[in-house]
Amino acid sequence: EPEVTQTPSHQVTQMGQEVILRCVPISNHLYFYWYRQILGQKVEFLVSFYNNEISEKSEIFDDQFSVERPDGSNFTLKIRSTKLEDSAMYFCASGGTGLGEKLFFGSGTQLSVL
Amino acid sequence: KQEVTQIPAALSVPEGENLVLNCSFTDSAIYNLQWFRQDPGKGLTSLLLIQSSQREQTSGRLNASLDKSSGRSTLYIAASQPGDSATYLCAVRHGNNRLAFGKGNQVVVIP
């Protein structure tokens, strides 16, 4: 079965630093997402991306965050000036050609901000 | 705002018993509902997707039902095995382009 690939699996950074989380979605998918899960809490939506632009973002996704699809295969989440509360597991997901299709999630990047 | 609740939060069953996991959601205007499995520290594995027009979906030992009008879904796992031990997440896709997740049912199957 096709997979969504995320790198790195773990990232440790100092507060105030910038991090870039990387994802390779499934190749023929058109919809891309970032979600995060703070330890012990629900998985929560950050942003969706379609046709090379953000289609929706949550209240969490403020100016500190940005997404990019730089080369047609990678999908990145950049977090500028990280804060302690950004520590979480970040999941990338991709969906097919329609909103009603199944979402496939990557194995996540565990981000720890010290 | 869509709220998703999963009951029970945790359960332990002896191997061979059937598992029944419940999910409820507050807004019945959903596109679909998806059940996922999450192993500790790992990603989400999609198990079943039920469209809003469907009543149930089956895959092997797994069966998921959907009662959209009452805002409920149930995941049945027949003849549980120790390898079924994991957290099971329910997620609904609703009016906008996002999934709303429950907190999960943490399952332990005792050999």
Side-chain angles (χ1 to χ4, degrees):
Chain A
E1 186 167 81
E3 286 186 345
V4 175
T5 305
Q6 288 187 245
T7 55
S9 56
H10 293 83
Q11 175 89 50
V12 179
T13 190
Q14 296 291 324
M15 190 169 56
Q17 295 297 304
E18 174 182 287
V19 295
I20 297 176
L21 310 183
R22 303 181 191 279
C23 170
V24 178
I26 295 169
S27 61
N28 62 340
H29 283 184
L30 301 179
Y31 294 85
F32 313 110
Y33 308 83
W34 285 100
Y35 285 78
R36 79 175 184 186
Q37 186 178 33
I38 294 171
L39 187 64
Q41 298 188 20
K42 294 182 178 182
V43 176
E44 50 189 355
F45 169 81
L46 292 177
V47 66
S48 60
F49 193 87
Y50 171 73
N51 201 25
N52 285 320
E53 61 182 22
I54 291 174
S55 51
E56 188 178 351
K57 58 184 180 180
S58 72
E59 312 71 40
I60 303 166
F61 195 89
D62 59 21
D63 292 342
Q64 181 195 6
F65 295 88
S66 61
V67 290
E68 196 176 39
R69 189 156 159 80
D71 56 13
S73 61
N74 292 287
F75 181 50
T76 62
L77 173 69
K78 182 188 290 186
I79 309 175
R80 287 180 283 274
S81 190
T82 50
K83 302 177 237 182
L84 296 176
E85 54 265 37
D86 295 329
S87 295
M89 179 76 92
Y90 287 81
F91 294 109
C92 173
S94 73
T97 56
L99 287 176
E101 296 190 25
K102 186 185 293 188
L103 286 198
F104 293 85
F105 280 73
S107 55
T109 294
Q110 180 65 56
L111 176 65
S112 299
V113 182
L114 306 179
Chain B
K1 184 186 173 187
Q2 180 73 269
E3 293 290 339
V4 180
T5 304
Q6 292 187 245
I7 295 171
L11 71 161
S12 296
V13 297
E15 182 178 359
E17 271 200 15
N18 298 330
L19 282 162
V20 180
L21 308 178
N22 295 300
C23 170
S24 62
F25 45 95
T26 54
D27 185 350
S28 62
I30 64 169
Y31 286 123
N32 56 45
L33 183 147
Q34 199 165 348
W35 281 93
F36 294 90
R37 170 184 171 136
Q38 184 176 30
D39 293 286
K42 304 290 186 183
L44 309 179
T45 301
S46 179
L47 298 174
L48 291 166
L49 171 71
I50 312 177
Q51 301 296 344
S52 62
S53 58
Q54 297 175 318
R55 298 283 292 180
E56 67 176 343
Q57 279 288 322
T58 299
S59 176
R61 294 185 294 112
L62 275 59
N63 173 278
S65 65
L66 174 63
D67 184 343
K68 199 177 76 157
S69 61
S70 64
R72 291 185 299 189
S73 176
T74 302
L75 178 67
Y76 300 89
I77 303 176
S80 60
Q81 303 169 358
D84 295 329
S85 299
T87 297
Y88 293 83
L89 301 178
C90 164
V92 298
R93 174 167 273 177
H94 54 118
N96 36 27
N97 188 16
R98 63 175 78 182
L99 294 181
F101 281 83
K103 207 168 178 183
N105 306 104
Q106 186 177 5
V107 172
V108 175
V109 179
I110 303 164

